[in-house]
Amino acid sequence: MNTTLEIQNLSIGYPGNHGEKKVVVSDLNFSLRKGEFTAIIGVNGIGKSTLLRTLGGVQSKLAGTVLVNGEPLESLSGLALATEMSIVLTDPLASKNLTVKELISLGRQPYTNWLGILKNEDTLIIEDAIKKIGLESVQDRKCFELSDGQLQKVLIARALAQDTPIVLLDEPTTHLDLYHKVQVLKTMKHIAHDLQKTVVYTTHEIDLAIQLCDKMLILDHPESHFGTPSELIENESFQGLFPSDLIGFDTKTGSFKIKN
C-alpha cells in the first residue's frame, strides 16, 4: 500500500463551553503517499498546527476519519503510533540539560527495552541522523548552549532517529536563516524520496514550499485545496490567500508579489 495517511471528512478544532465545539477547519479530504514531501500552508490562525497535532494523535479530531496505513488513528496504541509516526512540535523542551546526542537518542525509545539500553543498530541510526542533519560538531554540547536554530535541527534529527514511515513537523525552519531553511528542507525532501517516507510540515514560507514540495495543502475558508504546486497554480488556488490590494500571486513565476 502506497498510501500512508488518508484523511476523510475531517473536522479539527477544540471543545468549547457547554459541550459546543469550536471548529477551525472542516471537511478535509486528502491522502499522502510514501516518498512524498508535503507542506501545509495558510494564513496565521487558520489551523495548520491544529491539523498537524490532530494527524499526530496529540489532539483529538472533532469529526471524520484519519487512517494510518489503513488503520484508524485512535485504534493504535501509544507504542504502535510511535513506531509509525514521529512528530516535531513547537512546544518547549522539558529539559535542555541533555547533550545533543542524548536528546537525539530519545528517538529510539519505542524500540528499546524498559531500561532504554541502545543496541548497536540503534547507535548506527542515531549517528546517521546526526550526520544527515549536520550536527557532528555540536553533538556533545548541552542543548541549553545551542541557538534556537540549532535546537530546531536537533529536534528534526531526533525525529529521524525514531525512523518512522511518517514524519510530521510543525514550522521546522522558523528560527533558521534562508540558507539553513533551504538546507533543512532539501534534506527532508531527500529523506522522503530516498527512504520512501511520508514527510509533512507546516510553514509560512509558501514560496519555498512551491519550489520544493511534491504536494501542498492550502488551508482556507470556505474551501481548502490539495494537489501538486503546479496543479494549485493552474487552478489559481493561491490567489485568495492574502488581500489582493496588498499581495498578488504571479502564476508565471509561481511567487507572491507585493503591490505598490
Side-chain angles (χ1 to χ4, degrees):
M1 182 193 301
N2 285 327
T3 299
T4 54
L5 268 177
E6 188 170 353
I7 286 75
Q8 302 170 349
N9 303 315
L10 181 66
S11 293
I12 60 172
Y14 304 88
N17 297 326
H18 311 297
E20 297 176 354
K21 297 176 180 178
K22 178 176 173 52
V23 178
V24 176
V25 179
S26 61
D27 198 31
L28 286 173
N29 291 275
F30 62 96
S31 61
L32 304 173
R33 297 171 178 255
K34 292 180 181 178
E36 286 184 338
F37 186 44
T38 301
I40 300 171
I41 68 164
V43 298
N44 287 344
I46 196 67
K48 299 185 295 297
S49 296
T50 303
L51 175 58
L52 199 82
R53 293 170 71 91
T54 304
L55 297 181
V58 178
Q59 185 169 325
S60 298
K61 66 181 188 286
L62 297 183
T65 304
V66 177
L67 298 176
V68 181
N69 289 315
E71 298 292 330
L73 175 65
E74 59 271 18
S75 73
L76 299 174
S77 67
L79 180 60
L81 187 59
T83 59
E84 292 287 346
M85 189 183 297
S86 52
I87 182 166
V88 178
L89 299 175
T90 55
D91 300 341
L93 284 177
S95 173
K96 292 186 179 181
N97 204 38
L98 298 173
T99 67
V100 167
K101 191 169 186 178
E102 286 171 340
L103 181 57
I104 294 170
S105 298
L106 292 179
R108 299 306 299 164
Q109 277 190 328
Y111 311 98
T112 60
N113 59 24
W114 66 277
L115 291 172
I117 296 173
L118 298 172
K119 300 185 292 293
N120 184 56
E121 177 188 0
D122 298 313
T123 302
L124 292 175
I125 290 172
I126 292 163
E127 290 174 351
D128 185 58
I130 289 171
K131 184 177 179 181
K132 275 189 169 71
I133 303 300
L135 295 168
E136 299 99 317
S137 63
V138 298
Q139 62 181 313
D140 296 318
R141 290 173 61 182
K142 297 284 190 178
C143 289
F144 67 76
E145 299 177 315
L146 304 180
S147 68
D148 289 340
Q150 287 173 318
L151 185 58
Q152 191 71 17
K153 293 170 77 173
V154 173
L155 296 177
I156 294 170
R158 183 183 65 180
L160 293 186
Q162 198 171 330
D163 195 24
T164 55
I166 301 166
V167 183
L168 307 178
L169 308 105
D170 193 13
E171 298 283 355
T173 58
T174 297
H175 301 293
L176 304 178
D177 59 37
L178 181 59
Y179 170 77
H180 288 98
K181 287 180 195 291
V182 174
Q183 184 186 56
V184 165
L185 292 177
K186 289 190 76 172
T187 297
M188 298 309 299
K189 182 175 182 176
H190 286 312
I191 287 165
H193 291 182
D194 298 344
L195 302 181
Q196 286 297 288
K197 294 182 183 292
T198 302
V199 181
V200 187
Y201 77 108
T202 63
T203 185
H204 290 97
E205 290 141 358
I206 303 173
D207 286 351
L208 291 180
I210 288 172
Q211 295 178 67
L212 291 169
C213 287
D214 303 305
K215 298 284 181 63
M216 296 178 71
L217 173 66
I218 304 174
L219 292 185
D220 201 1
H221 292 306
E223 183 181 2
S224 297
H225 307 275
F226 179 76
T228 66
S230 59
E231 288 170 344
L232 294 171
I233 291 171
E234 185 177 342
N235 295 334
E236 299 186 349
S237 302
F238 295 102
Q239 316 301 64
L241 271 177
F242 303 107
S244 58
D245 60 328
L246 292 177
I247 302 171
F249 187 80
D250 187 337
T251 56
K252 293 181 180 178
T253 62
S255 60
F256 290 93
K257 303 292 184 183
I258 298 172
K259 293 188 176 180
N260 295 325

